[in-house]
Amino acid sequence: MAEPRVPGGRGAELDLPCGESVHVHDLDMGMREYDCACGASHAVVTDIHPPSRFFPEFLVDILRETIETDDDMGEFGTTHLMGIVLEEFPGEVATENVEEDQDVGYALVWVSDFDSRRLHEIVVELVVELMEHALSHADSDEAMTQFEADMLDFDVTEFVDEYRRERDFSGPHDTPA
């Protein structure tokens, strides 16, 4: 007997920003991009993807040490990164809570209107903005001046290109959390 498609439950259908929809069972845990019927590739992120998908592990450690979370998600991670993206681009990211569906292997999934490379750039840009905002509240003009000087030399596109070239997506820091 077929199961009904109840939002957030077993058999959930995710309405994508492009107007198409995808069954959550078609979104594999290891999937980073979904080739949609609309002709575009959409980035796929699940809660089990580590934040090192976007940043080197040393930077993930720094973010975890400096960013306090006040939710039940634990330490700063992919769920928080995608929350930042969702806040900035609410109409361009579809999300679904499928924690009741043990067949998929993840609890949260996000599918963006962007491909995985563009999503990577957006995540980096938003974290840089977050860092800048945090420094603006610090009592150190010297730290803010140094950060601004460092950002003049920082190229998001170049960082993403290099990180994606060098990143071993099957390494020890890229396993389910």
Side-chain angles (χ1 to χ4, degrees):
M1 180 170 151
E3 292 185 41
R5 294 185 181 203
V6 178
R10 298 174 66 84
E13 192 83 19
L14 183 59
D15 293 327
L16 303 177
C18 66
E20 296 289 334
S21 62
V22 62
H23 192 277
V24 294
H25 289 178
D26 293 333
L27 301 174
D28 182 274
M29 287 187 303
M31 187 179 282
R32 298 189 186 298
E33 232 168 39
Y34 171 72
D35 292 326
C36 185
C38 76
S41 291
H42 303 299
V44 175
V45 180
T46 66
D47 60 326
I48 64 164
H49 291 165
S52 59
R53 170 178 174 171
F54 303 106
F55 299 104
E57 198 63 36
F58 80 89
L59 184 54
V60 171
D61 291 341
I62 291 170
L63 291 170
R64 285 183 172 151
E65 288 173 19
T66 56
I67 298 174
E68 292 181 26
T69 61
D70 61 356
D71 55 32
D72 60 353
M73 297 294 180
E75 65 187 1
F76 185 81
T78 301
T79 302
H80 299 97
L81 289 173
M82 292 309 297
I84 295 166
V85 173
L86 190 58
E87 187 174 307
E88 287 294 315
F89 300 95
E92 297 173 82
V93 180
T95 186
E96 187 73 32
N97 180 337
V98 293
E99 63 187 71
E100 299 297 319
D101 187 343
Q102 276 77 49
D103 294 333
V104 295
Y106 50 84
L108 295 169
V109 62
W110 299 266
V111 180
S112 76
D113 207 28
F114 322 108
D115 65 14
S116 63
R117 189 186 187 303
R118 178 64 187 131
L119 177 63
H120 195 160
E121 288 179 344
I122 288 169
V123 169
V124 171
E125 290 166 355
L126 292 174
V127 167
V128 167
E129 285 179 21
L130 184 70
M131 292 164 60
E132 182 177 27
H133 179 76
L135 277 172
S136 73
H137 291 286
D139 292 334
S140 174
D141 291 336
E142 182 180 322
M144 188 61 179
T145 302
Q146 181 63 47
F147 180 79
E148 289 173 345
D150 290 343
M151 287 302 99
L152 291 174
D153 295 330
F154 182 71
D155 183 309
V156 171
T157 302
E158 185 178 309
F159 169 82
V160 169
D161 284 343
E162 183 176 332
Y163 189 65
R164 291 172 76 86
R165 230 183 357 262
E166 294 178 8
R167 179 76 176 99
D168 175 12
F169 282 112
S170 61
H173 297 296
D174 203 33
T175 57

